Amino acid sequence: PSCSPVEPLLLAELKPGRPQQYDWKASCETWSVAFSPDGTWFAWSQGHCIVKLIPWPLEEAELSCKASERKNRGIKADVRGRGGSKEKTLECGQIVWGLAFSPWPPSGAKERDGLRAPGQSCLILATGLNDGQIKVWEVQTGHFLFNLSGHLDVVRDLSFTPNGSLILVSASRDKTLRIWDLSRDGASKQVQVLSGHRQWVYCCSISPDCSMLCSAAGEKSAFLWSMRSYTLIRKLEGHQSSVVSCDFSPDSALLVTASYDTCVIMWDPYTGEQLRTLRHVLLPPALDYGGDIHVSSLRSVCFSPEGLYLATVADDRLLRIWDLELRTPVAFAPMTNGLCCVYFPHGGFIATGTRDGHVQFWSAPKVLSSLKHLCRKALRTFLTTYQVLALPIPKKMKEFLTYRTF
């Protein structure tokens, strides 16, 4: 491809308010960042056992200023309340590894337990902790709601089903995944324990249609589970080292996995077929941001909201934005010690967390999807690959609808 890479602009950077000092009870890494599904809240695990809940957008760092005013410098953000919402500080008491917002509450949710139906009629945030506990909070008030106990080690990642059913999946260093139903009455909210991994489970991702769950552990394969029967569908084998991150496309038709082998593999989750491999290779000299930049382990991968781009964070000090059609990065940004990345739900921004406890907000290409892609996305939201292949349509159309071509 002839397009030249463009450096995303650093729009804002938030730093922990506490001094960075060694304390055996807390570490300063930002292991997880998350936007609420509607984009009105941002959660930041800033280290020191603290989560910041921040109304979005940032008040002083309006993320729509001219690029010329933002280039090559960070903006110190003064975060203030928006629309009556104020920044919250959640004291979790343990190092926080995983964060997940619930979907917006379904309309007509019934009130119970005297707390506006916690977990049903309010937006909630689940936090996965170092001691294996999961603490659940009400976002608007910052109130602690309840604790989920069961894991025996660090809860590394969390994922809610997007359909509002309040099913939560947790991934842990105890080598299991656990399924929780937060709408259940009483203390027992655990539904299922998924076993089979032989190493720490790093990541879990639920498909937008709520039919599948992918989990990544310190193994060369990712596991694909059924969210209906909670059984293993298949192992996705193809990486040469530990798989550490995974994400589904917005229409559930694609799955990407990132590994310490420096590759991202794009899969058809229905067939288990490898569709593309994106390799993090050495950059041309013109893009060398430092003397010792090298290809190294991937940390995180995520789909853009329209499903045509990916963002990856790797140990080579770069944030990359990939065009799936071109199979190459179309944008790069230098960042040190990146650990995680997530797209803003409506596009245009990427948030990244770093090992020193900072969170950075980057500009991302605004994408206008073609009518063809919009039609494909709409169809694939309710048609599996096998159902597409059974349609009485031309082969080229089937290849397009199953992402064999773009």
Side-chain angles (χ1 to χ4, degrees), residues 352-365:
T352 58
T354 69
R355 197 173 288 278
D356 55 12
H358 297 191
V359 60
Q360 299 167 323
F361 301 98
W362 305 86
S363 62

Side-chain angles (χ1 to χ4, degrees), residues 251 253 306 308 369-383 388 391 397 400-403:
D251 59 4
E306 84 295 322
L308 290 173
S369 298
S370 67
L371 182 57
K372 286 198 312 179
H373 177 64
L374 290 173
C375 291
R376 171 173 58 188
K377 189 176 172 183
L379 285 169
R380 289 312 308 270
T381 298
F382 63 89
L383 289 180
V388 170
L391 294 174
M397 194 174 293
F400 175 78
L401 290 176
T402 58
Y403 288 92

Side-chain angles (χ1 to χ4, degrees), residues 175-321:
K175 305 176 186 177
T176 70
L177 298 115
R178 291 175 191 255
I179 315 293
W180 313 83
D181 184 351
L182 272 54
S183 66
R184 281 188 176 183
D185 288 313
S188 179
K189 299 182 188 297
Q190 184 171 292
V191 175
Q192 191 80 19
V193 178
L194 305 183
S195 303
H197 283 294
R198 297 183 179 180
Q199 302 293 335
W200 295 349
V201 189
Y202 289 109
C203 182
C204 58
S205 179
I206 300 172
S207 61
D209 67 1
C210 302
S211 68
M212 294 173 285
L213 164 70
C214 183
S215 58
E219 302 157 346
K220 295 180 182 179
S221 59
F223 285 19
L224 194 66
W225 309 81
S226 167
M227 282 296 290
R228 297 186 175 99
S229 63
Y230 300 126
T231 56
L232 183 66
I233 299 172
R234 65 171 54 87
K235 296 180 182 180
L236 300 172
E237 299 178 329
H239 284 290
Q240 303 304 309
S241 188
S242 300
V243 184
V244 295
S245 183
C246 57
D247 195 25
F248 283 93
S249 63
D251 59 4
S252 305
L254 298 173
L255 171 68
V256 288
T257 54
S259 167
Y260 286 161
D261 66 9
T262 77
C263 289
V264 171
I265 296 180
M266 190 172 80
W267 310 81
D268 184 322
Y270 295 102
T271 66
E273 181 183 351
Q274 294 185 36
L275 301 180
R276 282 166 184 74
T277 299
L278 309 178
R279 303 182 186 280
H280 290 60
V281 297
L282 284 172
L283 298 172
L287 293 172
D288 192 348
Y289 291 105
D292 61 345
I293 283 185
H294 60 282
V295 174
S296 193
S297 302
L298 278 161
R299 293 289 171 179
S300 184
V301 61
C302 62
F303 265 101
S304 62
E306 84 295 322
L308 290 173
Y309 287 78
L310 294 175
T312 59
V313 170
D315 283 348
D316 61 5
R317 305 178 195 171
L318 287 174
L319 165 69
R320 289 173 172 83
I321 299 174

